[in-house]
Every structure is written in C-alpha cells, then in structure tokens.
Amino acid sequence: MDLKRVVVTGLGAITPLGNNVPDFWNALLNGASGCARITRFNPEKFKTQFACEVKNFKAEEYFDRKEARKLDAYSQYGLAAAQQAYKDSGLDKEKINLDRCGVIWGSGIGGLETFQMEVSGFAKGDGTPRFNPFFIPKMIADICAGHISIQYNFRGPNFTTCSACASSTNAMIDSFNYIRLGKADVFITGGSEAAVNESGVGGFNAMHALSVRNDSPQTASRPFDKDRDGFVLGEGSGALILEELEHAKARGAKIYAEIAGGGMTADAHHITAPHPEGLGALNVMRNALSDANMNSDEIDYINVHGTSTPLGDIAESKAIKGVFGESAYKLNISSTKSMTGHLLGAAGAIEAMACILAVKNDIVPPTINHFTDDPEFDTKLNFTFNKAQKRVVRAALSNTFGFGGHNASVIVKKY
C-alpha cells in the first residue's frame, strides 16, 4: 500500500532552558546550561544536589487555580507544551475531523511527586487512610494524554507509551505510523516528565546513575568527556503536531520538516546497562534508516542519547561507527543533554525538536562541557564540542535509549 507522508506543523516546549521554543532553541545554540542547585526541596543530605529544573513556569498562564491543583507537574508541563504546539500549528478544531485526530504521549514515570506526597503523608499519619480523591488520576502515567485529548476534543487514538527514557520517541513513531497508514490525519505527540523530587534524585543516586559534581553544577553534564561521572536529572516537556502532508497543505500550514522514518529495538542484555558493543543502538539506527529508505551518507547530524554516563557514551559511539562506517566522520554529533540535562521520558521529544530545528535552520547545537579528551573515543568523530556549527543539514537522526534495554530512533528531513 502507498504510505502517506507525515510532516511537523507545530512545536511547543517547557524546558530547563526556556518555556517556549524560541528560548529553548536560542539557549541551545548559545551553549547555555540549564543546571543549578535544586530548589524544589532541600537537597543537603543527597549525594547529588543539583538538577536541570524548569524555571519561571507560571501555571496560571495555562490553567485556573482549581484546575492546576488537579494536575501533577508532569501534566502541567505536558498540557502547556501541547497548547503552544497547537497554537503554533494554526489548527482550528472547528474545521477538522476530530475523529481523525489523536494524542500519543510519552512519560517514563508519570506523577512521581504526587505519589511521593500521598504515600509519605499516609506514612506519617496514624494509619487512617486519608488520600486525596485526585491521587490516582493525578499520578497515573497515561493521564496527560487523556487531559490533552479532552482539551482539544481529539477523539482518535489516545494512549501513553512507557519505555523509560525512550518513551516520547516511541510516542512519535507510533503517531507517525498511524498517520502514514491512513488511520488518522493529526496527532499531538511528545512527552513530559517531572521527577526532580526527593524520590527521583534519591532513587537515581542509589543506582549511582547521577553526576555528583556538586561544586560545579553547570559543568556536571559532560557527554564524551574523560571525566564524565553520570547524568544530570532534568524535567519538562516537548510537544509536536504531526500531520498528514496533504491535510497540512490543504489548510496552508507551515511545515518545519518531514518525518522520514523510525526504528525500535531492544538490547535484551541488562536492566540498566547498555550492551557493551552498542548492539541495540546499532540495530535501531539501521532499522530507522531502512524504514526511511535512506542511506547512512544522507544523514548529516545525530542528536545522540549521550547521557554522560561512563558506559553509555562509549557504547553509542561504537554503534555510530558500526552503522555509518567512514561516513561517520562527515557527521555532526551532539548531545544536547549537556545543556538540558536528561528529561527521562520527555528527552526524545525535545531532542527530536532540536533535530527538526537543526534541519530547518542549517545549524547544529553543541555538546558543551568538554574539557578533556577520552582515548576511548575516536578523535576523528565530530562531537560538535562547545560551539554550534553551521552546515547544511539535509536530515537528522535522534537516538533515545531507556532502562530495560529499550531503543528508539527517529529521522527527520527537509521538506
């Protein structure tokens, strides 16, 4: 069967670098860090005392006070980004078939802070179960997708993907597939996460997953640097409007880029560690290229998973060389997590957004905080260290990998 073409017609962002797409993009290009000492709670007793928090987010700009109290921060961020993307797309729900519009959203955890507050409140009490009636609907990981569909009356497919840090990339690929198979015209997709709280930081600290560079938070996320010591926790949301090409053209929509293809694989190796040779990462990039019917030399930029963990960065760089061969040396590679931190289930959405904007504007955002070369990495690879680089970006690939061995890659190209 002939597959439909799918394009991006709207973007929205709530991130540690800014609460709209222009601020996010400009901060990326300027190499800004979104990291600072944690303000959500007193982190003094934690091994890691910093994170990439969302700053200056004003819920009242998006919700009334009564509605905001019913929403965990992960849903607030998601709804706010979705609202921006919908407005940016120029969609008018009075003029489209809402039965053919859907929402597929990604979150690795959902309402962790709500869960923490309710359970700790019960533990401090006398055993009488006094729980907020909104405890469950605030916390569950699918609820942001539900809220978005209610807000826009989108009555097509509606669900949440949960594949740890690959969640929102899986959501985008699922949305892409529904549209290209002709089962829907429009999707609001992306992801949100809000895990900068005692449970999130304490849990990842217990795994030795987080950087502990408390003396220099802004330089703590150091992908591909010899002295990297773990990832920096981030929070926020990215939202995209994916639309069938002819549907977008018929209403005169602006088009940022085209979704070319996507891939999904599993490491089938370990619950938290990557395959040491990057086997799952290698396969997922090959799958994405095959799905897009593209050769490796047609990709100009890879936004890597690049979390700044000692093992993960090495495995991913091996996978890139395995997939791209000699053309790997012509690529720009960068990890924007060096600036945003790791947004867990929302990471794929904002990193795909970085790829879309790189394709649209022909400039690659940098990997900041590089100080010392690591002999584990091939020095001929261009990791776009410390400064954005202008070049023609015909197509870009975004990698996201998650605990459990989940891997997802999506490719965007110029329209």
Side-chain angles (χ1 to χ4, degrees):
M1 66 179 291
D2 292 333
L3 296 174
K4 307 286 187 183
R5 293 173 67 184
V6 182
V7 293
V8 182
T9 57
L11 299 174
I14 301 293
T15 79
L17 296 176
N19 296 332
N20 57 61
V21 173
D23 286 353
F24 164 67
W25 180 237
N26 288 332
L28 283 185
L29 296 185
N30 289 322
S33 170
C35 193
R37 185 175 173 83
I38 289 170
T39 62
R40 295 275 190 282
F41 61 93
N42 182 355
E44 191 173 328
K45 293 186 178 179
F46 287 75
K47 292 178 185 174
T48 297
Q49 299 171 4
F50 55 88
C52 285
E53 296 175 320
V54 167
K55 304 160 191 72
N56 304 314
F57 177 74
K58 297 177 180 175
E60 63 269 23
E61 292 180 358
Y62 298 93
F63 323 101
D64 64 38
R65 187 175 298 179
K66 184 177 179 182
E67 184 184 7
R69 284 202 300 268
K70 300 175 184 176
L71 299 168
D72 186 90
Y74 109 93
S75 287
Q76 292 189 7
Y77 296 156
L79 278 160
Q83 189 179 124
Q84 292 176 20
Y86 180 85
K87 183 178 180 181
D88 183 44
S89 73
L91 282 167
D92 181 348
K93 59 185 179 182
E94 302 298 325
K95 298 179 179 177
I96 56 179
N97 182 352
L98 298 173
D99 291 329
R100 290 184 57 81
C101 299
V103 181
I104 305 179
W105 201 248
S107 183
I109 303 177
L112 182 61
E113 185 159 357
T114 297
F115 184 84
Q116 172 188 290
M117 290 174 62
E118 292 292 329
V119 173
S120 63
F122 174 71
K124 292 173 184 174
D126 62 2
T128 305
R130 297 186 180 89
F131 290 95
N132 189 311
F134 291 101
F135 171 27
I136 300 300
K138 278 180 73 174
M139 176 202 72
I140 51 179
D142 72 304
I143 203 64
C144 189
H147 281 299
I148 294 170
S149 71
I150 292 166
Q151 183 158 349
Y152 299 100
N153 201 21
F154 279 14
R155 299 188 293 265
N158 181 272
F159 58 89
T160 288
T161 58
C162 182
S163 50
C165 305
S167 296
S168 54
T169 303
N170 280 131
M172 288 183 283
I173 294 170
D174 284 353
S175 301
F176 167 64
N177 283 331
Y178 271 99
I179 296 172
R180 70 173 169 169
L181 289 171
K183 297 179 181 297
D185 298 325
V186 175
F187 269 93
I188 299 177
T189 187
S192 56
E193 206 77 86
V196 182
N197 49 51
E198 292 91 330
S199 299
V201 176
F204 285 117
N205 264 162
M207 297 171 61
H208 304 287
L210 297 181
S211 169
V212 292
R213 203 178 298 278
N214 292 312
D215 59 341
S216 183
Q218 293 192 332
T219 69
S221 183
R222 301 184 181 192
F224 308 105
D225 187 274
K226 185 176 184 298
D227 297 324
R228 66 195 182 281
D229 69 334
F231 75 80
V232 172
L233 189 59
E235 63 175 359
S237 178
L240 303 89
I241 304 295
L242 302 192
E243 189 166 355
E244 194 274 323
L245 174 61
E246 297 305 320
H247 189 275
K249 287 166 62 176
R251 66 182 187 85
K254 72 174 180 294
I255 294 173
Y256 284 96
E258 180 171 358
I259 305 293
M264 294 179 272
T265 65
D267 275 5
H269 170 69
H270 190 274
I271 58 170
T272 57
H275 188 284
E277 299 302 316
L279 181 61
L282 181 146
N283 286 338
V284 79
M285 287 186 278
R286 282 182 174 164
N287 285 356
L289 286 165
S290 175
D291 189 51
N293 195 28
M294 295 175 73
N295 297 318
S296 59
D297 61 5
E298 295 178 83
I299 302 292
D300 293 317
Y301 168 48
I302 301 178
N303 188 301
V304 289
H305 188 56
T307 56
S308 182
T309 57
L311 295 179
D313 291 2
I314 292 172
E316 190 170 10
S317 71
K318 287 180 179 177
I320 290 170
K321 289 185 67 176
V323 172
F324 289 87
E326 287 298 313
S327 64
Y329 302 125
K330 299 176 183 176
L331 292 165
N332 272 81
I333 299 165
S334 75
S335 171
T336 46
K337 287 186 180 74
S338 58
M339 295 173 275
T340 65
H342 189 354
L343 274 66
L344 307 179
I350 67 163
E351 290 164 15
M353 202 175 301
C355 287
I356 290 163
L357 294 169
V359 165
K360 180 174 174 54
N361 296 300
D362 289 324
I363 185 166
V364 175
T367 305
I368 69 166
N369 295 331
H370 181 72
F371 303 99
T372 307
D373 288 340
D374 185 337
E376 291 279 1
F377 300 115
D378 186 337
T379 57
K380 291 192 292 184
L381 291 174
N382 181 1
F383 290 105
T384 323
F385 284 134
N386 296 325
K387 189 175 180 181
Q389 292 181 13
K390 292 183 178 179
R391 66 171 292 170
V392 174
V393 184
R394 298 165 297 169
L397 183 153
S398 178
N399 281 339
T400 49
F401 312 138
F403 287 166
H406 312 299
N407 308 300
S409 298
V410 65
I411 296 174
V412 299
K413 66 180 182 181
K414 284 188 186 297
Y415 168 70

